[in-house]
Amino acid sequence: QVQLVESGGGLVQPGGRLRLSCVVSGTIFSIRAMGWYRQAPGRQRELVASITSGGSTMYADSVKGRFTISRDNAKNTVYLQMNSLKPEDTAVYYCAVIRSSSNYWGQGTQVTVSS
């Protein structure tokens, strides 16, 4: 059974930073493409960043230059470093194992950017 457990969310002021972590079990993590998605109230879930098994990354235009996705295969963990946070980054952030059929999802972690 594949499990993904996110952590690191919270309340932060505009301009602040947070690092999200996602620990994956039940699959061979090193061969998997991983992604971070987010869903704000009343909006569809969107892909924020992804990283392939080889380390190639992709970012949504809205977070380029501010967010960095990385992975540590020895720890079965994927990270999302979020800098220069804006109120519009407020959302539930989900970690996912990206698959051609359907993704495996974590439970989500709330990120709130507010003064």
Side-chain angles (χ1 to χ4, degrees):
Q1 180 180 0
V2 179
Q3 290 188 320
L4 298 85
V5 180
E6 300 105 331
S7 61
L11 173 64
V12 63
Q13 292 187 340
R17 57 177 60 185
L18 284 174
R19 188 176 82 154
L20 306 183
S21 301
C22 173
V23 180
V24 182
S25 60
T27 186
I28 304 174
F29 176 80
S30 61
I31 67 171
R32 296 291 196 176
M34 298 295 303
W36 284 98
Y37 293 72
R38 68 185 179 187
Q39 187 166 19
R43 302 191 65 176
Q44 288 190 331
R45 191 172 297 189
E46 63 174 350
L47 179 63
V48 174
S50 64
I51 184 166
T52 68
S53 58
S56 296
T57 58
M58 184 283 295
Y59 297 93
D61 287 343
S62 58
V63 306
K64 279 181 182 176
R66 300 188 298 121
F67 291 10
T68 303
I69 188 171
S70 62
R71 65 190 299 159
D72 185 337
N73 289 339
K75 296 182 178 180
N76 283 9
T77 301
V78 61
Y79 303 98
L80 185 68
Q81 178 67 48
M82 305 185 293
N83 299 331
S84 302
L85 282 161
K86 304 175 181 180
E88 51 264 43
D89 294 318
T90 296
V92 178
Y93 283 72
Y94 297 90
C95 172
V97 175
I98 296 175
R99 304 197 303 161
S100 56
S101 52
S102 61
N103 293 349
Y104 294 122
W105 296 97
Q107 81 286 354
T109 185
Q110 176 71 46
V111 172
T112 302
V113 185
S114 175
S115 55

